Amino acid sequence: LDIERCFTQSPLLRAAGVQFKATESNTWQLTLKAAQYEVTFDPALYDQRPSLRLMAWSDPVFAQILELGLNFNLPKTDDT
């Protein structure tokens, strides 16, 4: 499972207000609740650039995004 793609391309997370914008190779600008973070999903890149935030299970922002995704309800449409 590609966690980076699931997070950065998720219509559900976008609808919940989570925004990922690609900045460089393997780095993203994350906007979450008016806060911005420079993040990566690549542990090797994080080792080279510890100023980045590593999106991994132990990170509180990662956990916050997961929680948002689990608890967000999309608006109902006529099809649902």
Side-chain angles (χ1 to χ4, degrees), residues 33-61:
K33 296 185 177 179
Q36 292 190 342
Y37 307 94
E38 190 176 4
V39 303
T40 186
F41 292 83
D42 181 349
L45 181 58
Y46 174 74
D47 286 343
Q48 295 170 5
R49 295 181 50 197
S51 63
L52 295 171
R53 183 171 209 121
L54 179 62
M55 291 284 93
W57 297 106
S58 60
D59 184 83
V61 172

Side-chain angles (χ1 to χ4, degrees), residues 9-69:
Q9 297 178 15
S10 169
L12 179 75
L13 290 178
R14 276 195 299 273
V18 179
Q19 297 177 6
F20 284 92
K21 180 181 175 188
T23 55
E24 304 174 29
S25 179
N26 295 323
T27 64
W28 300 87
Q29 179 180 326
L30 165 62
T31 304
L32 175 65
K33 296 185 177 179
Q36 292 190 342
Y37 307 94
E38 190 176 4
V39 303
T40 186
F41 292 83
D42 181 349
L45 181 58
Y46 174 74
D47 286 343
Q48 295 170 5
R49 295 181 50 197
S51 63
L52 295 171
R53 183 171 209 121
L54 179 62
M55 291 284 93
W57 297 106
S58 60
D59 184 83
V61 172
F62 184 93
Q64 190 176 8
I65 293 170
L66 280 178
E67 188 174 326
L68 273 173

